[in-house]
């Protein structure tokens, strides 16, 4: 096996040398990526990071940049270079967000959550988990989103972060409503509203998006249960909030 790796490494190094000399960027990128992956498999993370960094110097395609950043971040994380790993994951997240690649965003957020876990940065981990949960829920992957929301909620509660907790509870409530688990959804929506009522920075029952979404969810449950007398006032309150909010996307 070691001999096979040695032969492959020699072949790829030769390909890299020739492509560098001839200016064949496509072959050069492939050679660098292959060498980097080979070093990752052999747990030679510093060499792998070096090759991924070289890839980033010559690629212009956003998809390829995102992939290289993720793999660079993975190598740096395994080298215990957590600050640099965080920076690389964050750059990858920005790239994949710009080009709307869901899987890439998920990989970057998962990497960030893992780095924060290792560093015991509970707030950072919860934020990454919450964003990852939102990503999965918006894609309809409710079974993947649920444990992420639950873990984020646990961390926020431990830190007495009521705003973060409200966001996680709202996500869980939305999942329960989508699954028609109204008995599970209603208490969560009500708790989100209570947090917004008690929030000293809140100007109304629903401080911005979170509280309004909770009321909308409750209204939808009442409508589904044919309780129109309960649903209509909630819909009207949500409408009023969005009309009054100059930043509302639902105006």
């Amino acid at each position: 096996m070691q001999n096979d790796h040695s032969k492959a490494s020699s072949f790829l190094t030769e390909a890299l040398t020739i492509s560098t000399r001839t200016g064949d960027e496509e072959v050069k990128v492939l050679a660098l990526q292959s060498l980097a992956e080979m070093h990752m498999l052999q747990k030679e993370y510093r060499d792998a990071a070096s090759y991924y960094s070289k890839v980033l110097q010559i690629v212009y395609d956003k998809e390829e940049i995102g992939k290289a950043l993720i793999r660079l971040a993975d190598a740096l994380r395994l080298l215990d270079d957590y600050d640099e790993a965080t920076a690389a994951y964050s750059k990858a997240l920005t790239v994949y967000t710009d080009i709307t690649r869901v899987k890439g965003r998920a990989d970057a957020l998962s990497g960030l959550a893992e780095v924060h876990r290792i560093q015991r940065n509970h707030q950072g981990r919860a934020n990454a988990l919450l964003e990852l949960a939102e990503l999965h829920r918006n894609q309809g992957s409710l079974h993947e989103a649920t444990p992420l929301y639950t873990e984020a909620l646990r961390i926020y509660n431990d830190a007495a972060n009521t705003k973060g907790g409200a966001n996680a509870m709202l996500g869980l409530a939305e999942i329960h409503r989508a699954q028609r688990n109204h008995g599970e959804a209603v208490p969560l929506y009500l708790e989100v509203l209570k947090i917004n009522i008690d929030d000293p920075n809140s100007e109304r029952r629903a401080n911005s998006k979170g509280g309004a979404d909770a009321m909308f969810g409750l209204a939808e449950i009442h409508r589904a249960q044919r309780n129109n007398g309960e649903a209509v006032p909630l819909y009207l309150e949500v409408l009023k909030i969005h009309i009054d909010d100059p930043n509302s996307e639902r105006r």
Side-chain angles (χ1 to χ4, degrees):
M1 181 65 72
Q2 185 63 39
N3 189 45
D4 289 341
H5 281 299
S6 180
K7 287 181 179 178
S9 180
S10 296
F11 173 78
L12 290 169
T13 301
E14 180 65 15
L16 178 60
T17 299
I18 294 172
S19 61
T20 299
R21 186 171 64 245
T22 61
D24 190 332
E25 294 291 286
E26 185 175 352
V27 172
K28 184 177 181 179
V29 169
L30 287 172
L32 287 168
Q33 289 172 332
S34 298
L35 284 165
E37 287 299 314
M38 180 179 295
H39 285 297
M40 286 291 284
L41 288 171
Q42 294 179 303
K43 299 183 179 181
E44 297 167 351
Y45 303 125
R46 196 164 302 282
D47 288 333
S50 176
Y51 281 116
Y52 286 126
S53 295
K54 290 176 182 177
V55 170
L56 287 167
Q57 293 173 11
I58 59 176
V59 293
Y60 297 96
D61 179 78
K62 288 291 185 73
E63 187 85 42
E64 293 301 321
I65 290 172
K67 289 178 182 177
L69 283 167
I70 290 288
R71 295 303 281 158
L72 173 61
D74 288 343
L76 291 168
R77 173 171 55 82
L78 292 165
L79 286 167
D80 298 338
D81 192 345
Y82 300 125
D83 289 344
E84 291 297 321
T86 298
Y89 282 129
S90 298
K91 288 178 183 177
L93 179 59
T94 299
V95 170
Y96 282 125
T97 299
D98 288 345
I99 62 175
T100 62
R101 295 294 188 271
V102 173
K103 184 181 184 306
R105 287 182 62 197
D107 289 342
L109 287 166
S110 295
L112 283 169
E114 178 61 13
V115 170
H116 291 315
R117 183 191 67 79
I118 295 169
Q119 291 187 300
R120 299 183 182 275
N121 178 356
H122 304 303
Q123 183 70 45
R125 175 170 168 74
N127 291 342
L129 290 172
L130 179 63
E131 191 172 348
L132 183 57
E134 293 281 282
L135 188 64
H136 284 303
R137 181 171 66 83
N138 290 334
Q139 292 297 309
S141 301
L142 304 186
H143 65 289
E144 293 187 41
T146 299
L148 296 169
Y149 279 126
T150 302
E151 177 65 7
L153 177 59
R154 183 190 67 76
I155 296 170
Y156 285 133
N157 285 343
D158 287 347
N161 183 337
T162 55
K163 182 177 180 181
N167 289 332
M169 280 189 284
L170 179 61
L172 284 170
E174 295 284 79
I175 288 175
H176 286 305
R177 178 167 67 86
Q179 296 174 329
R180 299 179 183 272
N181 297 327
H182 295 164
E184 298 289 337
V186 169
L188 290 168
Y189 282 132
L190 291 175
E191 183 63 21
V192 172
L193 283 175
K194 181 178 184 300
I195 289 170
N196 283 283
I197 291 169
D198 294 341
D199 183 354
N201 298 315
S202 176
E203 297 178 357
R204 55 173 75 251
R205 285 183 64 202
N207 73 337
S208 70
K209 187 175 184 300
D213 284 351
M215 277 194 286
F216 183 80
L218 285 169
E220 287 287 275
I221 289 174
H222 285 304
R223 183 173 67 85
Q225 295 176 338
R226 301 183 185 279
N227 298 326
N228 293 336
E230 299 288 339
V232 170
L234 289 168
Y235 282 130
L236 291 174
E237 178 67 10
V238 173
L239 180 61
K240 183 177 186 300
I241 290 167
H242 286 297
I243 289 174
D244 293 344
D245 182 1
N247 298 315
S248 175
E249 297 177 356
R250 298 184 182 180
R251 291 186 71 194

